[in-house]
Amino acid sequence: MTEIAIHFKQVPHSIFTQLKHDQFQPNVLSFRIQPDEGIFLSFEAKYPGPRLRLASLNLAFNYKDIFKTTPMGPYERLLLDCIRGDQMLFVREDMVEVSWKFINSILNEREKLLPRVFPNYASGSWGPESANKIIQQDGRFWQDF
């Protein structure tokens, strides 16, 4: 899954005297890139009426549900662009060669610094443990699915 989730900060104070500000869940805005492309928002809301009751609500816009169709996969789009002659996603051979020359110079320098700068991790994992430690310093965390 590819998703960008923006976790908003906790509210600094509560407008409801019966509830403390830390009893509210922070709002989350998510942009799902693939699969199931869409935009999702979760937030807290007060039920209508005189009683103080809160509910966690979710708003969802999902392309597949709204348009009743499944978007083309990345390879389908690439093949269709190729068939149509749209070269926007394709480059010439000389550009590929120059790009690899540039990238190889970066990779060569990285190899010299690899043990000090870049914490390696197993393929298919969620990344190095040091990534968790960095974002936890100011109270953030990776969202688990």
Side-chain angles (χ1 to χ4, degrees), residues 31-56:
F31 299 93
R32 185 149 320 139
I33 312 300
Q34 65 172 335
D36 301 323
E37 294 86 352
I39 301 170
F40 308 92
L41 176 65
S42 64
F43 59 96
E44 299 283 309
K46 181 189 172 297
Y47 279 93
R51 284 188 42 205
L52 179 60
R53 293 189 313 158
L54 296 179
S56 294

mmCIF file of all heavy atoms in Angstrom, residues 31-56:
data_model
loop_
_atom_site.group_PDB
_atom_site.id
_atom_site.type_symbol
_atom_site.label_atom_id
_atom_site.label_comp_id
_atom_site.label_asym_id
_atom_site.label_seq_id
_atom_site.Cartn_x
_atom_site.Cartn_y
_atom_site.Cartn_z
ATOM 1 N N PHE A 31 -4.108 10.302 1.973
ATOM 2 C CA PHE A 31 -4.183 10.223 0.517
ATOM 3 C C PHE A 31 -3.666 8.841 0.129
ATOM 4 O O PHE A 31 -2.481 8.560 0.282
ATOM 5 C CB PHE A 31 -3.305 11.300 -0.139
ATOM 6 C CG PHE A 31 -3.716 12.695 0.219
ATOM 7 C CD1 PHE A 31 -3.141 13.347 1.289
ATOM 8 C CD2 PHE A 31 -4.690 13.348 -0.506
ATOM 9 C CE1 PHE A 31 -3.516 14.634 1.634
ATOM 10 C CE2 PHE A 31 -5.073 14.636 -0.173
ATOM 11 C CZ PHE A 31 -4.488 15.273 0.896
ATOM 12 N N ARG A 32 -4.548 7.979 -0.331
ATOM 13 C CA ARG A 32 -4.130 6.637 -0.725
ATOM 14 C C ARG A 32 -3.797 6.665 -2.212
ATOM 15 O O ARG A 32 -4.620 7.016 -3.049
ATOM 16 C CB ARG A 32 -5.220 5.621 -0.447
ATOM 17 C CG ARG A 32 -4.736 4.230 -0.743
ATOM 18 C CD ARG A 32 -5.317 3.124 0.074
ATOM 19 N NE ARG A 32 -5.513 3.419 1.470
ATOM 20 C CZ ARG A 32 -6.602 3.016 2.117
ATOM 21 N NH1 ARG A 32 -7.558 2.373 1.512
ATOM 22 N NH2 ARG A 32 -6.731 3.302 3.393
ATOM 23 N N ILE A 33 -2.562 6.306 -2.521
ATOM 24 C CA ILE A 33 -2.066 6.335 -3.886
ATOM 25 C C ILE A 33 -2.386 5.018 -4.593
ATOM 26 O O ILE A 33 -2.850 5.015 -5.725
ATOM 27 C CB ILE A 33 -0.541 6.583 -3.921
ATOM 28 C CG1 ILE A 33 -0.145 7.760 -3.018
ATOM 29 C CG2 ILE A 33 -0.037 6.761 -5.333
ATOM 30 C CD1 ILE A 33 -0.760 9.077 -3.371
ATOM 31 N N GLN A 34 -2.111 3.912 -3.922
ATOM 32 C CA GLN A 34 -2.432 2.610 -4.474
ATOM 33 C C GLN A 34 -2.425 1.582 -3.373
ATOM 34 O O GLN A 34 -1.695 1.757 -2.402
ATOM 35 C CB GLN A 34 -1.441 2.229 -5.572
ATOM 36 C CG GLN A 34 -0.035 2.042 -5.066
ATOM 37 C CD GLN A 34 0.887 1.486 -6.123
ATOM 38 O OE1 GLN A 34 0.462 0.839 -7.049
ATOM 39 N NE2 GLN A 34 2.154 1.740 -5.945
ATOM 40 N N PRO A 35 -3.106 0.493 -3.389
ATOM 41 C CA PRO A 35 -4.294 0.298 -4.227
ATOM 42 C C PRO A 35 -5.473 1.073 -3.639
ATOM 43 O O PRO A 35 -5.326 1.715 -2.613
ATOM 44 C CB PRO A 35 -4.519 -1.203 -4.126
ATOM 45 C CG PRO A 35 -4.018 -1.561 -2.765
ATOM 46 C CD PRO A 35 -2.853 -0.633 -2.507
ATOM 47 N N ASP A 36 -6.612 0.968 -4.226
ATOM 48 C CA ASP A 36 -7.822 1.655 -3.754
ATOM 49 C C ASP A 36 -7.597 3.150 -3.584
ATOM 50 O O ASP A 36 -7.750 3.708 -2.496
ATOM 51 C CB ASP A 36 -8.329 1.049 -2.436
ATOM 52 C CG ASP A 36 -8.655 -0.418 -2.561
ATOM 53 O OD1 ASP A 36 -9.169 -0.808 -3.621
ATOM 54 O OD2 ASP A 36 -8.398 -1.173 -1.619
ATOM 55 N N GLU A 37 -7.256 3.812 -4.679
ATOM 56 C CA GLU A 37 -6.963 5.242 -4.663
ATOM 57 C C GLU A 37 -8.117 6.037 -4.068
ATOM 58 O O GLU A 37 -9.274 5.767 -4.359
ATOM 59 C CB GLU A 37 -6.693 5.749 -6.088
ATOM 60 C CG GLU A 37 -5.445 5.189 -6.727
ATOM 61 C CD GLU A 37 -5.638 3.843 -7.422
ATOM 62 O OE1 GLU A 37 -6.726 3.242 -7.288
ATOM 63 O OE2 GLU A 37 -4.712 3.383 -8.083
ATOM 64 N N GLY A 38 -7.769 7.020 -3.227
ATOM 65 C CA GLY A 38 -8.809 7.847 -2.645
ATOM 66 C C GLY A 38 -8.257 8.802 -1.606
ATOM 67 O O GLY A 38 -7.056 8.863 -1.355
ATOM 68 N N ILE A 39 -9.178 9.555 -0.998
ATOM 69 C CA ILE A 39 -8.843 10.522 0.042
ATOM 70 C C ILE A 39 -9.747 10.229 1.236
ATOM 71 O O ILE A 39 -10.961 10.040 1.078
ATOM 72 C CB ILE A 39 -9.078 11.969 -0.456
ATOM 73 C CG1 ILE A 39 -8.229 12.240 -1.700
ATOM 74 C CG2 ILE A 39 -8.759 12.975 0.644
ATOM 75 C CD1 ILE A 39 -8.572 13.545 -2.394
ATOM 76 N N PHE A 40 -9.149 10.214 2.424
ATOM 77 C CA PHE A 40 -9.889 9.834 3.616
ATOM 78 C C PHE A 40 -9.584 10.819 4.742
ATOM 79 O O PHE A 40 -8.450 11.247 4.911
ATOM 80 C CB PHE A 40 -9.512 8.412 4.043
ATOM 81 C CG PHE A 40 -9.638 7.430 2.913
ATOM 82 C CD1 PHE A 40 -8.560 7.150 2.096
ATOM 83 C CD2 PHE A 40 -10.845 6.812 2.648
ATOM 84 C CE1 PHE A 40 -8.677 6.274 1.029
ATOM 85 C CE2 PHE A 40 -10.974 5.931 1.591
ATOM 86 C CZ PHE A 40 -9.888 5.662 0.777
ATOM 87 N N LEU A 41 -10.613 11.169 5.526
ATOM 88 C CA LEU A 41 -10.457 12.089 6.640
ATOM 89 C C LEU A 41 -11.150 11.491 7.857
ATOM 90 O O LEU A 41 -12.313 11.086 7.774
ATOM 91 C CB LEU A 41 -11.075 13.456 6.308
ATOM 92 C CG LEU A 41 -11.079 14.498 7.424
ATOM 93 C CD1 LEU A 41 -9.647 14.896 7.785
ATOM 94 C CD2 LEU A 41 -11.882 15.718 7.002
ATOM 95 N N SER A 42 -10.429 11.412 8.976
ATOM 96 C CA SER A 42 -11.060 10.980 10.228
ATOM 97 C C SER A 42 -10.951 12.123 11.228
ATOM 98 O O SER A 42 -9.921 12.793 11.306
ATOM 99 C CB SER A 42 -10.400 9.710 10.765
ATOM 100 O OG SER A 42 -9.060 9.941 11.097
ATOM 101 N N PHE A 43 -12.026 12.356 11.974
ATOM 102 C CA PHE A 43 -12.074 13.468 12.923
ATOM 103 C C PHE A 43 -13.115 13.186 13.998
ATOM 104 O O PHE A 43 -13.939 12.277 13.873
ATOM 105 C CB PHE A 43 -12.382 14.789 12.201
ATOM 106 C CG PHE A 43 -13.688 14.793 11.463
ATOM 107 C CD1 PHE A 43 -14.833 15.305 12.044
ATOM 108 C CD2 PHE A 43 -13.772 14.278 10.177
ATOM 109 C CE1 PHE A 43 -16.043 15.309 11.362
ATOM 110 C CE2 PHE A 43 -14.967 14.273 9.484
ATOM 111 C CZ PHE A 43 -16.108 14.791 10.083
ATOM 112 N N GLU A 44 -13.056 13.979 15.064
ATOM 113 C CA GLU A 44 -13.993 13.878 16.174
ATOM 114 C C GLU A 44 -15.114 14.903 15.975
ATOM 115 O O GLU A 44 -14.862 16.016 15.526
ATOM 116 C CB GLU A 44 -13.286 14.180 17.495
ATOM 117 C CG GLU A 44 -12.161 13.236 17.831
ATOM 118 C CD GLU A 44 -12.640 11.900 18.340
ATOM 119 O OE1 GLU A 44 -13.468 11.864 19.263
ATOM 120 O OE2 GLU A 44 -12.189 10.879 17.788
ATOM 121 N N ALA A 45 -16.336 14.513 16.325
ATOM 122 C CA ALA A 45 -17.470 15.432 16.221
ATOM 123 C C ALA A 45 -18.420 15.207 17.393
ATOM 124 O O ALA A 45 -18.518 14.093 17.916
ATOM 125 C CB ALA A 45 -18.212 15.228 14.903
ATOM 126 N N LYS A 46 -19.121 16.265 17.787
ATOM 127 C CA LYS A 46 -20.092 16.179 18.870
ATOM 128 C C LYS A 46 -21.452 15.796 18.290
ATOM 129 O O LYS A 46 -21.872 16.328 17.269
ATOM 130 C CB LYS A 46 -20.196 17.519 19.595
ATOM 131 C CG LYS A 46 -21.183 17.506 20.751
ATOM 132 C CD LYS A 46 -21.405 18.918 21.272
ATOM 133 C CE LYS A 46 -22.520 18.970 22.274
ATOM 134 N NZ LYS A 46 -23.813 18.598 21.755
ATOM 135 N N TYR A 47 -22.095 14.833 18.940
ATOM 136 C CA TYR A 47 -23.456 14.500 18.548
ATOM 137 C C TYR A 47 -24.340 15.731 18.753
ATOM 138 O O TYR A 47 -24.131 16.485 19.704
ATOM 139 C CB TYR A 47 -24.012 13.372 19.435
ATOM 140 C CG TYR A 47 -23.586 11.990 19.046
ATOM 141 C CD1 TYR A 47 -22.469 11.405 19.618
ATOM 142 C CD2 TYR A 47 -24.314 11.248 18.118
ATOM 143 C CE1 TYR A 47 -22.076 10.130 19.281
ATOM 144 C CE2 TYR A 47 -23.935 9.966 17.772
ATOM 145 C CZ TYR A 47 -22.816 9.414 18.360
ATOM 146 O OH TYR A 47 -22.435 8.150 18.028
ATOM 147 N N PRO A 48 -25.342 15.960 17.911
ATOM 148 C CA PRO A 48 -26.259 17.087 18.130
ATOM 149 C C PRO A 48 -27.060 16.886 19.423
ATOM 150 O O PRO A 48 -27.313 15.764 19.837
ATOM 151 C CB PRO A 48 -27.190 17.035 16.916
ATOM 152 C CG PRO A 48 -26.532 16.141 15.934
ATOM 153 C CD PRO A 48 -25.620 15.235 16.690
ATOM 154 N N GLY A 49 -27.428 17.968 20.049
ATOM 155 C CA GLY A 49 -28.251 17.881 21.250
ATOM 156 C C GLY A 49 -27.526 18.381 22.482
ATOM 157 O O GLY A 49 -26.352 18.751 22.437
ATOM 158 N N PRO A 50 -28.244 18.401 23.605
ATOM 159 C CA PRO A 50 -27.680 18.991 24.827
ATOM 160 C C PRO A 50 -26.627 18.116 25.516
ATOM 161 O O PRO A 50 -25.777 18.622 26.230
ATOM 162 C CB PRO A 50 -28.911 19.172 25.730
ATOM 163 C CG PRO A 50 -29.877 18.141 25.255
ATOM 164 C CD PRO A 50 -29.629 17.998 23.774
ATOM 165 N N ARG A 51 -26.688 16.788 25.339
ATOM 166 C CA ARG A 51 -25.700 15.906 25.992
ATOM 167 C C ARG A 51 -24.361 15.983 25.289
ATOM 168 O O ARG A 51 -24.292 16.145 24.076
ATOM 169 C CB ARG A 51 -26.193 14.459 25.967
ATOM 170 C CG ARG A 51 -27.274 14.193 26.974
ATOM 171 C CD ARG A 51 -27.648 12.735 27.105
ATOM 172 N NE ARG A 51 -26.479 11.861 27.102
ATOM 173 C CZ ARG A 51 -26.522 10.592 26.721
ATOM 174 N NH1 ARG A 51 -27.646 10.066 26.296
ATOM 175 N NH2 ARG A 51 -25.448 9.862 26.751
ATOM 176 N N LEU A 52 -23.305 15.844 26.055
ATOM 177 C CA LEU A 52 -21.964 15.862 25.487
ATOM 178 C C LEU A 52 -21.542 14.440 25.147
ATOM 179 O O LEU A 52 -21.207 13.639 26.017
ATOM 180 C CB LEU A 52 -20.967 16.490 26.474
ATOM 181 C CG LEU A 52 -19.539 16.539 25.977
ATOM 182 C CD1 LEU A 52 -19.431 17.349 24.689
ATOM 183 C CD2 LEU A 52 -18.625 17.126 27.028
ATOM 184 N N ARG A 53 -21.639 14.119 23.881
ATOM 185 C CA ARG A 53 -21.180 12.822 23.386
ATOM 186 C C ARG A 53 -20.381 13.074 22.119
ATOM 187 O O ARG A 53 -20.827 13.804 21.234
ATOM 188 C CB ARG A 53 -22.361 11.906 23.062
ATOM 189 C CG ARG A 53 -23.145 11.480 24.274
ATOM 190 C CD ARG A 53 -24.171 10.411 23.938
ATOM 191 N NE ARG A 53 -24.935 10.758 22.744
ATOM 192 C CZ ARG A 53 -25.587 9.885 21.970
ATOM 193 N NH1 ARG A 53 -25.572 8.621 22.261
ATOM 194 N NH2 ARG A 53 -26.248 10.283 20.916
ATOM 195 N N LEU A 54 -19.206 12.464 22.039
ATOM 196 C CA LEU A 54 -18.355 12.606 20.863
ATOM 197 C C LEU A 54 -18.322 11.306 20.084
ATOM 198 O O LEU A 54 -18.489 10.222 20.639
ATOM 199 C CB LEU A 54 -16.929 12.988 21.276
ATOM 200 C CG LEU A 54 -16.762 14.334 21.951
ATOM 201 C CD1 LEU A 54 -15.308 14.553 22.321
ATOM 202 C CD2 LEU A 54 -17.231 15.452 21.056
ATOM 203 N N ALA A 55 -18.069 11.442 18.802
ATOM 204 C CA ALA A 55 -17.942 10.274 17.937
ATOM 205 C C ALA A 55 -16.762 10.482 17.003
ATOM 206 O O ALA A 55 -16.490 11.603 16.576
ATOM 207 C CB ALA A 55 -19.220 10.071 17.122
ATOM 208 N N SER A 56 -16.067 9.403 16.701
ATOM 209 C CA SER A 56 -15.013 9.442 15.687
ATOM 210 C C SER A 56 -15.675 9.180 14.346
ATOM 211 O O SER A 56 -16.354 8.168 14.165
ATOM 212 C CB SER A 56 -13.958 8.377 15.964
ATOM 213 O OG SER A 56 -13.278 8.669 17.146
#
